Amino acid sequence: MSTILADQDMTMDAGDETIKIPSALPVLPLRDIVIFPFMIVPLFVQREKSIRAIEQVLTENRLILLVAQRDGEKEEPLAEDLYEVGTVAAIMRMMKLPDGRIRVLVQGLSRAKVTGIETTSNFLRAQIEQLAEPKVESTLELEALQRNVKTAMEKAVTLGKNISPEVMAITASLDDPGRLADLGASNLELRVQEAQGVLELVDPQQRLFRVNELLARELSVLNVQQEINSQAKGEIDRSQREFYLRQQLKAIQQELGEGNELLEEINTYREKIAEAGMTEKVEEETLRQLKKLERMHPDTAEAATLRNYLDIMVNLPWAKSSTDNLDLFQAQKVLDEDHYGLEKVKERIVEALAVRKLKGKTKGALLCLVGPPGVGKTSLGRSVARALGRKFVRISLGGIHDEAEIRGHRRTYVGSMPGRIVQAIQQAGTNNPLIMLDEIDKVSSDFRGDPSSALLEVLDPEQNHAFRDNYLGVPFDLSNSMFMMTANVLETIQPALRDRMEVLRLSGYTEEEKLAIVRKHILTKQMEENGITGKYLTVADSAVRSIIMQYTRESGLRQLEREIASVCRKVARRVAEGDLKRVTVSAKNIHEFLGTPKILPEENLKKDQVGVATGLAWTPVGGDILFIEALLTKGKGHLMLTGKLGDVMKESAQAALSYAKSRAKELGIDEAAFSSNDIHIHIPEGAIPKDGPSAGITMATAMISAFSNRPIHRTLAMTGEITLRGNVLAIGGVKEKVLAARRAKIKTVILPHYNRKDVEEMPQDLIEHMSFIYVDHVKQVIKAALI
Ligand code: ADP
């Protein structure tokens, strides 16, 4: 209920001569309000007795006593239910309402004390005693109090208290402390009890003091209310705020002329993200990054990095895959078309595909093709991909020693990129390519982490469905991809990795095989690549043989292919220059195309020598022959080894010497020779590290030859491990070794008996003009080798 203050002009002052307050007045009990002098308030009256009281006073002097009830609930208040102090008021206006109630406008005139109540049947009538307002002296304290109350009221208004501007205007001009107190109290919306307390304080100063207290309390309540309000508002505002800010940002950007482009860019990204087929989580993360971009200045380096990221994300084949063709006959056909020979390897590959066909993607072996360079490992992988209808990508792992190469760098690094695996997927454009991990034996680990363990995760079907690249920051499913590996040697592959793969060995090719491959595959391929046809070029077998023997020395075909390419290029140039004559290349004119031969045939020894034996060695790039020299010098029986030999090879030399000592007599050696001589064993080409046990019998032969002073057959080479008792054990890499022997025009090869089967599996043309001696014991070696 709003309280209106009596306009000063309208005020019927209690002290006014015109109004005489009688000693008895009808009572209007008030349920929930206290009316102060000088206030004008509308009241609704409903109770019978009250209505009658009003009707009564309207016929008399219009004066009535307003007294608050102690308990507002009481319908029929009696004398004891009313407070003892009330306000004499004049009824200014009365109106009957249709519902039987009446509405009166009353104006307080003066405080009055009830001295007695008389209950008539119609209404209550009170004996009263007017409580006149005592005069107060204006003191400093009173002045301060007044000012305080005024500012407190103003403050209350600023804090949201609902007091009308008129009231505030009157407050400002009031200088009567009692009236100021009443005005304040009636506008504070006090509880009845509190308001009554103020009413009962007759002394203006005390009253003002009390009102000041009440105002102070009100202010603190208002303050807290304000705080609560602003908190609640904050909650609602947050979401709205972002919206407004965004709108503002857009407006600013538009003003700067950059808004539209950015907006367009963002929208394009948004569309692409929706189309990329990402999983929910990935999409969420990408959109989060897009939001970041939205907030950035488009020309900053950071925005460029973020754009890079988004480009990669939207272009990754999250859901794009090719359909597999699992027709095994077709696969076999493709492999045969692309590659000569390699029957066993092809067979195993087709078997692996068969398992895949029957058991699904997670099964099927992890194939690792092991062999010297250029024997077709990578190109086999390419063929498998072609047969399956999958995309082929090759990751060269040679020299990788940083885990980040596989897993990528975090985006916080400048110039960071995804790792090789994700790059490969990107390159393939499908999520199920055949990925060839090339040279997996050349992966090393250092302080930057172990790339092999990252590779293990890539290859593990249990884990690779959620491969985490540091750059992407979200998992990518690699389980649809197929992996194949290549290596030159097995030994350097991390054991856990080696354990998981199935090894398929490829060995070097013989001259005949190479010739066939050139005829069937390489020549046509190179002619095509260089844009010439059979019309312009014929290559005779003799030319190919000459290239194989005189221009290349390798197990595989890389150099050979390069030389043939070189021939084709030269012919292409001639044709392009207008010389359309057909060119025939043969052994006779090959030097016109390739220059003088680069490789002199590997020479075996010029004559049979004492203490020099020819060994056969296996290296990661193919077989080789090596000469092992033994020399006696005056000394005390020490063994000296030079030529950068590995531990296994040194031990092998010790074993050979011990054997020779133990069998001196049988071998025709003077036992005294051991104690009066040192023996020096040297294997030339010292810069190349050599290791392995397979030179055992060769070193023994060289030593025994030196001690017994018997020369060794020069056209004979040997390989085999030796035991202390002179037994000869099997060795590996037989085909490579035999190929090397053949290149060196060796006629006879001594091999361990156990390796006979390896020779029997070799192509006939390779072993045609060679003879093999299979041995179980060094005695047999000595018998065959020494003259
Ligand atoms: P690697 O990966 O083993 O080092 P590549 O796969 O690069 O060797 O082979 C070198 C070249 O020799 C390729 O052009 C390849 O097509 C060819 N090649 C190797 N082996 C054969 C083969 N058995 N039949 C046909 N071409 C072959």
Side-chain angles (χ1 to χ4, degrees):
M1 185 185 299
S2 74
T3 312
I4 306 166
L5 181 85
D7 199 305
Q8 293 214 299
D9 304 331
M10 281 172 56
T11 308
M12 295 187 271
D13 199 311
D16 199 321
E17 301 298 290
T18 53
I19 296 179
K20 181 99 184 87
I21 293 180
S23 58
L25 278 178
V27 177
L28 180 60
L30 303 175
R31 283 182 197 268
D32 52 5
I33 187 170
V34 173
I35 309 279
F36 289 89
F38 300 105
M39 308 299 131
I40 295 175
V41 184
L43 294 173
F44 289 89
V45 186
Q46 190 170 23
R47 287 179 280 187
E48 281 288 319
K49 278 191 175 174
S50 302
I51 291 174
R52 279 200 293 269
I54 287 168
E55 281 168 348
Q56 176 64 35
V57 301
L58 284 179
T59 62
E60 299 172 2
N61 53 5
R62 299 188 144 223
L63 295 183
I64 196 164
L65 181 71
L66 307 175
V67 192
Q69 286 176 218
R70 288 181 201 273
D71 175 2
E73 299 291 307
K74 262 234 158 87
E75 257 321 294
E76 290 255 346
L78 301 171
E80 64 267 27
D81 297 323
L82 299 174
Y83 282 109
E84 270 128 43
V85 178
T87 306
V88 177
I91 294 179
M92 299 170 72
R93 213 172 291 152
M94 191 273 272
M95 196 166 70
K96 285 203 161 107
L97 299 176
D99 58 2
R101 291 185 303 161
I102 60 171
R103 181 177 179 271
V104 287
L105 195 61
V106 297
Q107 180 189 0
L109 297 175
S110 164
R111 286 180 166 73
K113 189 173 163 72
V114 179
T115 52
I117 286 196
E118 162 193 341
T119 323
T120 65
S121 55
N122 283 333
F123 46 81
L124 298 177
R125 183 181 282 277
Q127 259 75 52
I128 55 167
E129 202 177 275
Q130 188 184 359
L131 297 172
E133 190 92 347
K135 287 265 177 280
V136 281
E137 263 175 58
S138 92
T139 60
L140 275 181
E141 198 190 346
L142 191 64
E143 174 80 25
L145 211 48
Q146 269 178 296
R147 280 199 206 167
N148 245 10
V149 168
K150 289 182 183 176
T151 44
M153 284 179 72
E154 274 162 22
K155 198 149 182 210
V157 171
T158 60
L159 286 175
K161 187 84 187 162
N162 190 12
I163 304 176
S164 72
E166 295 86 29
V167 173
M168 291 311 293
I170 293 167
T171 313
S173 59
L174 261 184
D175 49 11
D176 179 338
R179 284 180 65 178
L180 180 60
D182 288 344
L183 183 60
S186 64
N187 279 288
L188 271 177
E189 293 164 35
L190 299 174
R191 268 177 280 139
V192 172
Q193 213 185 340
E194 279 168 346
Q196 183 69 31
V198 176
L199 188 70
E200 286 174 10
L201 288 171
V202 181
D203 177 42
Q205 184 158 353
Q206 272 180 25
R207 206 188 310 149
L208 196 58
F209 187 79
R210 173 68 183 143
V211 169
N212 191 37
E213 267 177 9
L214 290 168
L215 264 168
R217 191 195 65 186
E218 181 70 13
L219 282 182
S220 47
V221 171
L222 284 171
N223 267 323
V224 174
Q225 210 178 341
Q226 176 102 345
E227 232 166 72
I228 294 172
N229 265 350
S230 63
Q231 262 174 22
K233 211 160 152 245
E235 285 302 318
I236 305 167
D237 279 0
R238 199 159 301 154
S239 58
Q240 281 185 354
R241 211 178 127 229
E242 205 184 299
F243 175 76
Y244 284 131
L245 288 178
R246 236 172 245 298
Q247 294 296 333
Q248 271 174 355
L249 186 69
K250 261 183 214 157
I252 293 170
Q253 281 167 338
Q254 245 159 20
E255 197 61 30
L256 292 173
E258 58 198 22
N260 281 341
E261 276 165 46
L262 184 70
L263 210 68
E264 239 167 68
E265 191 186 17
I266 300 286
N267 283 339
T268 322
Y269 274 129
R270 201 160 275 142
E271 272 166 36
K272 282 187 181 168
I273 291 170
E275 284 164 13
M278 301 171 179
T279 60
E280 208 172 295
K281 278 217 173 121
V282 174
E283 186 167 327
E284 226 169 72
E285 171 62 17
T286 319
L287 285 173
R288 215 168 60 86
Q289 299 298 334
L290 182 61
K291 258 199 186 156
K292 261 197 206 165
L293 179 66
E294 218 170 334
R295 271 177 263 141
M296 276 178 194
H297 188 280
D299 297 338
T300 55
E302 239 193 332
T305 321
L306 205 48
R307 251 182 232 126
N308 241 346
Y309 173 76
L310 289 169
D311 283 337
I312 289 175
M313 288 298 274
V314 299
N315 287 324
L316 271 178
W318 298 96
K320 212 157 105 199
S321 52
S322 58
T323 344
D324 272 357
N325 168 14
L326 281 171
D327 179 347
L328 299 181
F329 293 104
Q330 168 72 14
Q332 180 77 50
K333 209 179 118 211
V334 170
L335 289 177
D336 286 339
E337 253 169 44
D338 293 351
H339 292 94
Y340 171 90
L342 302 174
E343 264 68 34
K344 275 198 175 156
V345 176
K346 289 183 199 163
E347 199 179 302
R348 185 60 194 90
I349 290 176
V350 174
E351 278 168 22
L353 297 183
V355 174
R356 198 162 249 272
K357 181 173 179 174
L358 297 180
K359 306 258 334 216
K361 64 184 179 186
T362 54
K363 299 286 167 163
L366 275 171
L367 297 180
C368 181
L369 304 172
V370 179
V375 292
K377 300 183 295 295
T378 315
S379 75
L380 265 173
R382 203 167 260 128
S383 275
V384 173
R386 182 162 90 90
L388 284 173
R390 289 192 180 214
K391 285 273 178 358
F392 177 83
V393 268
R394 177 174 162 266
I395 301 178
S396 175
L397 297 175
I400 283 189
H401 46 215
D402 186 351
E403 195 180 346
E405 292 264 8
I406 306 290
R407 259 188 219 288
H409 283 105
R410 278 178 209 293
R411 262 172 296 136
T412 41
Y413 290 93
V414 176
S416 55
M417 282 197 303
R420 302 268 186 116
I421 303 287
V422 169
Q423 282 180 30
I425 295 278
Q426 227 180 330
Q427 192 189 337
T430 59
N431 65 12
N432 63 340
L434 192 161
I435 298 179
M436 181 129 233
L437 302 170
D438 237 350
E439 307 200 302
I440 198 149
D441 53 334
K442 307 282 192 306
V443 173
S444 55
S445 67
D446 66 5
F447 61 94
R448 279 166 289 198
D450 183 2
S452 305
S453 58
L455 282 175
L456 265 176
E457 193 186 320
V458 168
L459 297 171
D460 184 357
E462 304 284 325
Q463 297 182 53
N464 69 7
H465 59 88
F467 172 70
R468 219 166 237 290
D469 183 281
N470 289 328
Y471 181 85
L472 296 190
V474 291
F476 189 91
D477 184 357
L478 289 177
S479 65
N480 297 311
S481 307
M482 187 173 162
F483 294 94
M484 273 176 91
M485 290 162 276
T486 77
N488 292 140
V489 289
L490 277 178
E491 286 69 24
T492 54
I493 302 178
Q494 206 234 32
L497 222 90
R498 196 166 55 208
D499 247 24
R500 314 212 69 245
M501 57 205 200
E502 179 171 342
V503 173
L504 299 182
R505 285 186 189 273
L506 284 80
S507 41
Y509 297 107
T510 64
E511 192 185 313
E512 294 309 315
E513 283 171 327
K514 285 184 183 176
L515 180 63
I517 294 172
V518 169
R519 280 266 158 262
K520 281 207 174 130
H521 302 277
I522 293 180
L523 190 58
T524 12
K525 187 165 110 193
Q526 286 305 328
M527 282 169 67
E528 224 167 77
E529 268 175 30
N530 289 290
I532 48 176
T533 59
K535 212 166 95 189
Y536 304 112
L537 173 67
T538 321
V539 180
D541 282 358
S542 66
V544 180
R545 278 183 209 279
S546 163
I547 298 175
I548 295 170
M549 297 303 289
Q550 295 175 323
Y551 292 85
T552 67
R553 193 171 95 186
E554 57 176 359
S555 305
L557 297 151
R558 283 202 189 154
Q559 190 61 31
L560 175 58
E561 185 164 8
R562 243 173 264 148
E563 298 296 344
I564 287 177
S566 168
V567 171
C568 293
R569 271 199 308 279
K570 297 236 153 70
V571 175
R573 180 173 170 185
R574 278 193 198 177
V575 174
E577 284 171 353
D579 181 357
L580 297 182
K581 260 190 288 152
R582 179 198 208 92
V583 180
T584 305
V585 186
S586 71
K588 287 213 184 74
N589 63 356
I590 186 79
H591 63 273
E592 290 173 25
F593 295 87
L594 299 178
T596 49
K598 291 170 191 158
I599 310 255
L600 299 172
E602 255 172 300
E603 276 185 39
N604 51 33
L605 299 169
K606 294 266 173 353
K607 57 175 193 178
D608 305 328
Q609 289 185 32
V610 170
V612 183
T614 309
L616 294 173
W618 180 90
T619 72
V621 295
D624 209 347
I625 61 166
L626 44 84
F627 301 111
I628 296 185
E629 303 174 339
L631 189 69
L632 295 186
T633 53
K634 281 265 170 292
K636 290 187 177 139
H638 291 305
L639 172 64
M640 187 152 63
L641 296 164
T642 54
K644 220 168 184 199
L645 313 188
D647 287 343
V648 178
M649 207 163 193
K650 282 181 189 163
E651 283 163 13
S652 198
Q654 294 280 6
L657 182 61
S658 298
Y659 168 76
K661 279 181 181 171
S662 70
R663 294 296 160 91
K665 212 176 219 158
E666 249 173 81
L667 297 166
I669 302 170
D670 175 7
E671 274 182 60
F674 289 114
S675 49
S676 58
N677 290 305
D678 284 345
I679 181 153
H680 182 174
I681 293 197
H682 178 69
I683 305 178
E685 293 189 67
I688 302 164
K690 311 166 188 81
D691 203 0
S694 73
I697 59 169
T698 324
M699 289 191 286
T701 307
M703 280 184 219
I704 293 166
S705 158
F707 279 119
S708 63
N709 207 15
R710 290 165 66 191
I712 303 168
H713 283 295
R714 65 185 174 95
T715 57
L716 177 142
M718 63 190 83
T719 175
E721 182 174 354
I722 187 174
T723 71
L724 274 181
R725 294 196 156 61
N727 292 323
V728 178
L729 305 182
I731 43 81
V734 176
K735 186 176 178 192
E736 306 296 337
K737 288 175 176 173
V738 172
L739 278 170
R742 190 184 151 95
R743 277 199 298 271
K745 304 223 164 62
I746 301 282
K747 299 267 163 44
T748 312
V749 176
I750 300 179
L751 287 172
H753 206 270
Y754 300 103
N755 289 105
R756 176 177 228 139
K757 60 174 191 323
D758 295 319
V759 176
E760 283 166 357
E761 279 173 9
M762 281 180 212
Q764 205 46 48
D765 60 82
L766 170 60
I767 51 180
E768 234 169 20
H769 302 293
M770 295 174 84
S771 65
F772 295 88
I773 302 172
Y774 301 106
V775 296
D776 297 309
H777 198 272
V778 180
K779 270 192 275 183
Q780 295 161 290
V781 180
I782 301 300
K783 194 163 163 235
L786 297 194
I787 295 169

